Amino acid sequence: MPAATDPSPVSPDEFAARMARLGGFESAPRLAVGVSGGADSLGLVLLAHEWARGQGGSVLGLTVDHGLRPESSDEAERVGQWLADRGIAHAVLHWDGDKPKTGIQAAARAARHRLLAERCRDEGILHLALAHHRDDQAETVLLRLARGSGIDGLAGMAPVRAAGPVRVIRPLLDLPHDRLAATCRAHGQDWIEDPSNRNPAFARARLRAAEDALSAEGLDADRLADSARRAARARAALEAGAASLLAGAAAVYPEGWIRLDPAPLRDAPEELGLRALVRCLLVVGGAPYPPKAEAVERLFAEVMRGLEAGRTLAGRTLGGCRILPRRGGLVIAREPAAATERATIRPSETLWWDRRFTVRLGPESGGAFTVARLGDDGWKSALALDPESDAFGLPQPARASMPALWDEHGLAAVPGLGIFRKESTVSAEVFFTPAMPLAGPAFPVVSAGGGII
């Protein structure tokens, strides 16, 4: 008989209550679950399968084979067989191509998230469940504390986060690993131990090795997770304040640029002004992470000094953006040289280009095109197609960094400006759909009572 201190498995009712707090599911929910083969992700997929099936929905398990260990392919196949035995659909996603020599864990994480999101989009699945738990959250807070993170970093991982076309959910974020292992045991489910979890070459493994010493000083997982929850509450309030500030200070244009009035940022508390500036850079630049805080603070201080002295800011580059003076305000536009993505699009296809624009090619377009930035030379070609385009008055970097369609004959179209080569049958639409909306991400906060506020 288990001792009273043995961890209890997560019950179906407890899991259902957690999913209800996250909310936002369709009547017959379809979920993707990232399944590495460890106890955490296998416990999650078992719970999610039972929950979804009870509502007429389904689960797709997704395993990313990074190809970093010789046995990874066999492990992914084993996970697939385990899930197949339980009637759970499964697919393996492969990280192909060259791997970086340094920063391998960060690169693998980025590749994993990209592959998972792309498969969700292809399957029409709106929700991606990940098995991050309380111990992961505590490690995240410690790592970010060591790197000098502010409130945003110390808030750790959010239980719900929009990531392009998919909503990432973490229903287990305040549960310890031991309860997920107990859940696997209760279902008679074996799991795979990843040796990298004990490899001292990686920071998270070194933190796990120091767990007892940290706990003795009061830095246990419960206390760190509580700190993350409180920081997340502060982050949510600051994000709301920045969104309110931007509502009166910024105008977003469909060509992918922002006109910013710096005066409201000057008059607001400095933290809100800084956040508002960062938000503009993320929206326009399309970067997954903000620029370094020190660089943002320098730019903000320069803008504010110029505003007080009545002089205009000289052009600056930061976060993949050009920041330029214009008519008493600032233009924040994509840095053309940073918009390097080139992608092929075929009739009836849709793609997300440069993390900023959705490009749709009509079915009658008659062949494949390359989507790439317009550039200054492309603008000359656009003017030759439509001389009146010069009346748009777009800032040069915004114009040059817009998506254009190219083929073997040169420029075929600039759909965002309504410019099409006359002899071409191309039909296309372009929409500014940045990874980060100007209103900012939603960061639900797990309250002490377990609810989402």
Side-chain angles (χ1 to χ4, degrees):
M1 182 175 180
T5 56
D6 284 354
S8 61
V10 181
S11 71
D13 287 345
E14 181 183 356
F15 186 76
R18 290 174 173 277
M19 297 297 276
R21 290 198 296 268
L22 295 178
F25 299 103
E26 59 270 39
S27 56
R30 293 186 68 212
L31 271 71
V33 179
V35 189
S36 66
D40 308 326
S41 59
L42 282 165
L44 173 60
V45 76
L46 296 176
L47 292 164
H49 172 60
E50 189 169 357
W51 174 82
R53 188 175 55 178
Q55 301 183 65
S58 61
V59 159
L60 171 64
L62 296 176
T63 300
V64 176
D65 179 4
H66 297 92
L68 298 176
R69 294 183 290 115
E71 61 271 24
S72 64
S73 179
D74 290 341
E75 291 175 353
E77 185 176 338
R78 194 186 323 166
V79 170
Q81 188 57 57
W82 281 338
L83 298 191
D85 291 344
R86 296 178 180 274
I88 302 173
H90 178 258
V92 179
L93 312 177
H94 297 275
W95 183 25
D96 297 321
D98 296 334
K99 309 298 191 295
K101 299 275 193 252
T102 59
I104 188 66
Q105 281 208 321
R109 182 168 57 251
R112 181 166 62 250
H113 288 177
R114 174 179 57 80
L115 290 167
L116 291 170
E118 287 175 354
R119 186 56 180 259
C120 288
R121 181 197 61 203
D122 293 345
E123 296 279 347
I125 293 175
L126 302 178
H127 318 282
L128 169 63
L130 301 179
H132 295 115
H133 49 77
R134 185 200 63 182
D135 305 339
D136 294 324
Q137 183 77 300
E139 289 168 5
T140 297
V141 172
L142 277 175
L143 285 170
R144 293 180 178 178
L145 182 64
R147 293 168 185 161
S149 292
I151 286 290
D152 286 6
L154 298 181
M157 295 175 282
V160 181
R161 179 176 63 85
V166 67
R167 188 176 73 127
V168 175
I169 60 173
R170 297 181 175 94
L172 311 175
L173 202 50
D174 61 341
L175 289 179
H177 162 78
D178 289 348
R179 291 199 62 196
L180 303 178
T183 302
C184 285
R185 286 192 290 268
H187 284 79
Q189 177 62 59
D190 199 2
W191 63 82
I192 299 165
E193 294 287 354
D194 185 348
S196 66
N197 289 335
R198 299 183 299 276
N199 186 343
F202 301 126
R204 284 187 182 271
R206 294 195 296 272
L207 285 177
R208 287 169 192 147
E211 182 179 337
D212 290 344
L214 291 170
S215 295
E217 298 298 328
L219 289 175
D220 59 21
D222 280 334
R223 183 162 293 179
L224 289 165
D226 276 345
S227 295
R229 177 178 55 79
R230 295 186 180 100
R233 192 167 56 207
R235 175 180 64 183
L238 290 167
E239 289 293 326
S244 178
L245 178 59
L246 284 167
V252 183
Y253 291 83
E255 300 87 5
W257 61 285
I258 288 174
R259 187 187 184 283
L260 181 66
D261 179 359
L265 276 62
R266 173 199 60 195
D267 298 336
E270 185 177 8
E271 177 65 22
L272 292 185
L274 286 164
R275 282 174 178 270
L277 179 58
V278 168
R279 183 82 55 76
C280 291
L281 297 173
L282 288 172
V283 169
V284 171
Y289 302 106
K292 290 186 179 298
E294 296 86 350
V296 176
E297 289 166 356
R298 283 196 299 271
L299 174 62
F300 185 82
E302 186 175 354
V303 170
M304 295 304 121
R305 284 195 300 269
L307 192 63
E308 294 296 339
R311 64 175 185 270
T312 57
L313 173 80
R316 292 288 181 266
T317 301
L318 183 63
C321 297
R322 288 288 291 156
I323 302 97
L324 304 166
R326 192 181 200 191
R327 299 172 191 167
L330 295 177
V331 163
I332 300 178
R334 181 73 161 125
E335 181 187 5
T340 58
E341 183 177 356
R342 298 177 65 87
T344 300
I345 190 169
R346 295 173 177 81
S348 300
E349 288 185 345
T350 298
L351 62 82
W352 192 37
W353 180 80
D354 198 39
R355 291 176 54 86
R356 299 183 299 132
F357 286 96
T358 296
V359 183
R360 294 175 184 163
L361 191 60
E364 69 283 8
S365 294
F369 295 86
T370 297
V371 182
R373 71 179 182 233
L374 178 61
D376 290 334
D377 289 340
W379 178 242
K380 294 175 185 175
S381 299
L383 286 177
L385 296 175
D386 184 358
E388 305 229 346
S389 300
D390 209 20
F392 291 148
L394 293 176
Q396 181 274 334
R399 185 181 66 213
S401 60
M402 288 189 69
L405 302 185
W406 306 80
D407 61 13
E408 66 272 18
H409 304 296
L411 180 68
V414 190
L417 299 179
I419 300 173
F420 294 86
R421 194 168 58 211
K422 301 215 170 21
E423 70 275 15
S424 173
T425 60
V426 63
S427 168
E429 296 178 299
V430 163
F431 304 94
F432 183 47
T433 53
M436 170 77 75
L438 193 64
F443 287 119
V445 180
V446 182
S447 76
I452 302 293
I453 58 172

